[in-house]
Amino acid sequence: MAQHKVYTDAVTKYVTLPLENAVNAMLTSKYNPFYYHGALPQFFLWVLFLSGLLLFAYYIPTIDNAYSSKEAINAFTSVDYITNVIPFGVVIRGIHRYAGDAMVLTIILHALRVWFTDRYRQYRWVQWFSGIVLLLVVFFIGQTGYYLVWDERSLVLTRMTVTALEAIPGVGPALKAWFINGETISNLTLSNYLFIHIGLSFGLLFGLWMHYVRMARPVLTPPPVINYALMAILLAVVFMNPIDMGQMAVLTSQPTQFEIDWFFLWPYALLLQWPPMTFWLVMAAVTIFFSILPLPFLVRGASGTELPPVEAAEVVLTKCTGCSLCDKDCPYEAIEMVPAPAGSRFKLLATVLPHRCSSCGLCVGACAFDAIDLPNNQDAEVNNKIKALLAQS
Amino acid sequence: MTKVMTLICERSCDLDQYVDEKSQLKDMPGCYVVKFPCSGMIQPLMIEGALKNGADGVVVTGCQIGDCYYREGNKMLRERLLGERPPGLKKNVDRRRVLGLWLSKVQPKKLLSDVKEFAGELEKLGPAAAAADKK
């Protein structure tokens, strides 16, 4: 299963780079959405937070009186009220649903691009791994969103989830009790769904902090023009495909059919085909597969050999003046300024955290004192090479 | 002969088939190429050094702005050349002799034509050494 960099290099050379150049020719590099691929899901996250806040104002997480009448106040009727009575309620719901789909779509594009451009391994493994965890959490949050509507689809999904959880040996019953907040579906079930939906959404912020922590100056927002364009596309989708809801869930009924949102509800399509344990094992295997992709022995160069490891930059202790320009410019937060040793003329000294270093040499470019070097490409050698080339002929 | 030093990111334009064994562009004698892991590694000192040691002009080339493999290298070099980020070029460096190009791996032809045009401009300016002597 070793990944050969030759193939991804070919994809970038013949597909992605020409495509990006074409977009650059139209929009200039400043407004090229490909260069903000990580910021796009982040934009949709803010849209989801805001639209979710508005929905939260009217949502009632109970299944009370679900049998009696249309006047009943419960989750379904509150969603119905949002959809049909509140001005633009259906638009807000549409924005909330399609922004979720868009977030999944842009996350996958983001993941594909970092994989094709070989920007996922070595000093970036924390970002890759936290990204996988974040995507799984996003899937789960989106699914809980579908439970919250409490129409017939929600009931089928809940029952399918309960069956799937119960099948896990050992912890199954406990997971089931956690999921529906008791032994049977009750009012507490929906408060738990709401808690998961909103609580995990804020949990995403912690995950995103992990995702960004080693990146100096992460690109979190595209230029406003791109945001407006994304919002316009989103609104166009919302108005072209206004969302509806099914029948109210009735606990005594056995609904069997529902529409699948392929961005979030694909696991349920698999659960219809496979026994629960097969499903869990396949999910675990896929997650592990993607998690270990960055391992060095799985990435091969052109000749099938392992790629060389990163050789971290080294500070020339006698030359460093502690000016901290390299610390400011390092794109991976790999340089730390420490107090200079006693007897030094300077207050600070730069040190390199080798496990974070990408060996890009940006610190070399930032240093006006030749005080930091790549061990296999020293600036003195580069200068000598330039001099030698110019001296000939 | 106009001497042009091209300092280039190895992930930017793929010049392998255009360069001879002396790191010289095949159809532009006097134009040398030195590769860097990232354009962000290029020190303003190196540009000054090249001009001091006989180059008539220096071309620095990084990837498309926004697409740096190491996130910010080309952006930072660009800011250094524009004097927006320390360390910058010394004041007495003739800015007409430094050209920044931001091109992706698949645009070597654009680089070659831009360098050719730049060399033509340099020829009009005259050799760098003579200009330095005049001062």
Side-chain angles (χ1 to χ4, degrees):
Chain A
M1 62 169 272
Q3 315 145 66
H4 290 257
K5 222 174 129 305
V6 207
Y7 302 128
T8 51
D9 282 354
V11 172
T12 50
K13 190 174 169 191
Y14 294 110
V15 184
T16 59
L17 281 178
L19 181 67
E20 285 165 20
N21 285 339
V23 177
N24 276 336
M26 285 186 285
L27 302 176
T28 74
S29 63
K30 192 181 168 191
Y31 297 108
N32 187 338
F34 285 108
Y35 297 159
Y36 301 95
H37 53 106
L40 302 184
Q42 178 75 61
F43 169 73
F44 286 117
L45 183 65
W46 300 135
V47 173
L48 285 163
F49 269 125
L50 275 177
S51 54
L53 185 71
L54 295 174
L55 296 174
F56 181 62
Y58 290 94
Y59 181 73
I60 299 164
T62 69
I63 59 170
D64 263 348
N65 304 314
Y67 316 96
S68 48
S69 71
K70 193 81 169 121
E71 316 308 316
I73 294 172
N74 61 30
F76 180 85
T77 53
S78 70
V79 176
D80 189 48
Y81 183 77
I82 293 170
T83 315
N84 295 317
V85 180
I86 296 185
F88 297 105
V90 67
V91 177
I92 299 296
R93 271 194 74 207
I95 289 175
H96 198 64
R97 175 166 301 176
Y98 294 123
D101 292 343
M103 191 175 169
V104 171
L105 189 69
T106 46
I107 289 174
I108 288 169
L109 290 176
H110 172 53
L112 279 175
R113 191 175 189 275
V114 295
W115 187 71
F116 278 133
T117 52
D118 194 29
R119 297 175 191 179
Y120 64 97
R121 56 199 181 89
Q122 293 173 328
Y123 46 93
R124 302 192 217 232
W125 75 268
V126 173
Q127 283 92 323
W128 178 256
F129 183 68
S130 60
I132 289 171
V133 176
L134 280 165
L135 180 56
L136 291 178
V137 176
V138 165
F139 281 138
F140 188 45
I141 294 173
Q143 287 152 11
T144 55
Y146 279 97
Y147 313 149
L148 285 173
V149 181
W150 208 241
D151 54 6
E152 288 183 333
R153 170 161 57 190
S154 313
L155 188 59
V156 187
L157 295 178
T158 300
R159 285 183 177 146
M160 287 176 79
T161 314
V162 167
T163 318
L165 288 175
E166 267 182 325
I168 302 174
V171 292
L175 279 176
K176 177 202 163 185
W178 165 76
F179 182 67
I180 56 171
N181 215 357
E183 287 309 307
T184 53
I185 297 171
S186 68
N187 284 337
L188 298 177
T189 309
L190 280 207
S191 23
N192 194 38
Y193 287 169
L194 188 62
F195 172 72
I196 295 173
H197 191 70
I198 296 176
L200 275 187
S201 299
F202 283 95
L204 276 184
L205 295 178
F206 173 77
L208 284 171
W209 170 63
M210 295 294 287
H211 202 56
Y212 298 145
V213 70
R214 286 188 179 184
M215 317 271 263
R217 302 164 289 274
V219 182
L220 301 185
T221 34
V225 173
I226 293 184
N227 287 346
Y228 301 148
L230 291 175
M231 205 60 215
I233 295 170
L234 185 60
L235 284 172
V237 174
V238 168
F239 281 103
M240 282 192 293
N241 310 288
I243 59 165
D244 49 5
M245 51 201 303
Q247 298 293 312
M248 190 194 298
V250 178
L251 287 180
T252 48
S253 69
Q254 296 288 340
T256 48
Q257 284 190 322
F258 59 89
E259 270 182 62
I260 279 195
D261 173 338
W262 286 102
F263 292 102
F264 284 111
L265 301 182
W266 55 268
Y268 292 93
L270 297 179
L271 272 172
L272 285 174
Q273 305 294 325
W274 296 341
M277 272 323 284
T278 314
F279 170 80
W280 290 119
L281 289 175
V282 169
M283 288 300 114
V286 170
T287 309
I288 291 169
F289 170 79
F290 283 112
S291 304
I292 64 172
L293 274 189
L295 286 180
F297 66 88
L298 291 178
V299 189
R300 302 284 156 151
S303 48
T305 49
E306 280 188 31
L307 298 168
V310 169
E311 287 190 57
E314 283 167 3
V315 178
V316 185
L317 299 178
T318 49
K319 286 186 180 173
C320 179
T321 64
C323 73
S324 67
L325 282 182
C326 53
D327 175 38
K328 281 190 191 113
D329 284 3
C330 177
Y332 297 102
E333 309 270 18
I335 292 176
E336 208 170 20
M337 302 306 298
V338 297
S344 166
R345 288 193 291 140
F346 305 107
K347 282 185 183 148
L348 294 169
L349 180 71
T351 49
V352 178
L353 306 172
H355 57 286
R356 291 191 185 182
C357 181
S358 68
S359 189
C360 65
L362 229 149
C363 48
V364 180
C367 187
F369 304 95
D370 289 340
I372 192 159
D373 259 326
L374 298 183
N376 52 7
N377 196 4
Q378 305 210 339
D379 53 9
E381 283 169 31
V382 175
N383 279 322
N384 287 338
K385 194 174 165 194
I386 293 175
K387 231 179 262 182
L389 282 176
L390 290 169
Q392 62 186 333
S393 74
Chain B
M1 186 177 58
T2 317
K3 282 189 182 175
V4 181
M5 177 56 67
T6 306
L7 308 177
I8 187 169
C9 162
E10 64 183 7
R11 293 171 194 273
S12 175
C13 299
D14 189 2
L15 290 177
D16 285 352
Q17 48 170 320
Y18 302 99
V19 170
D20 64 13
E21 67 282 358
K22 285 161 78 187
S23 304
Q24 193 168 206
L25 284 181
K26 276 176 197 161
D27 49 355
M28 279 186 66
C31 183
Y32 306 99
V33 176
V34 176
K35 280 197 203 175
F36 290 80
C38 174
S39 58
M41 184 183 168
I42 300 167
Q43 294 173 328
L45 281 173
M46 291 171 183
I47 298 170
E48 288 158 14
L51 290 172
K52 215 177 283 171
N53 285 294
D56 296 309
V58 179
V59 180
V60 286
T61 311
C63 305
Q64 295 270 11
I65 299 289
D67 193 31
C68 179
Y69 179 84
Y70 296 107
R71 303 191 59 236
E72 298 179 310
N74 52 6
K75 245 181 239 178
M76 290 197 170
L77 175 66
R78 186 169 171 273
E79 285 171 15
R80 289 195 224 293
L81 294 179
L82 293 173
E84 292 164 3
R85 178 178 287 275
L89 285 169
K90 286 198 181 66
K91 274 194 183 138
N92 61 6
V93 173
D94 187 347
R95 299 303 201 267
R96 293 171 298 179
R97 294 181 186 278
V98 183
L99 175 70
L101 290 177
W102 317 107
L103 298 168
S104 77
K105 200 182 186 75
V106 293
Q107 295 175 302
K109 295 229 165 78
K110 172 103 173 85
L111 177 114
L112 293 180
S113 70
D114 283 3
V115 170
K116 205 162 258 176
E117 197 188 325
F118 180 59
E121 293 291 316
L122 290 175
E123 212 144 322
K124 280 184 219 156
L125 285 176
D133 286 343
K134 257 186 247 166
K135 282 177 196 167

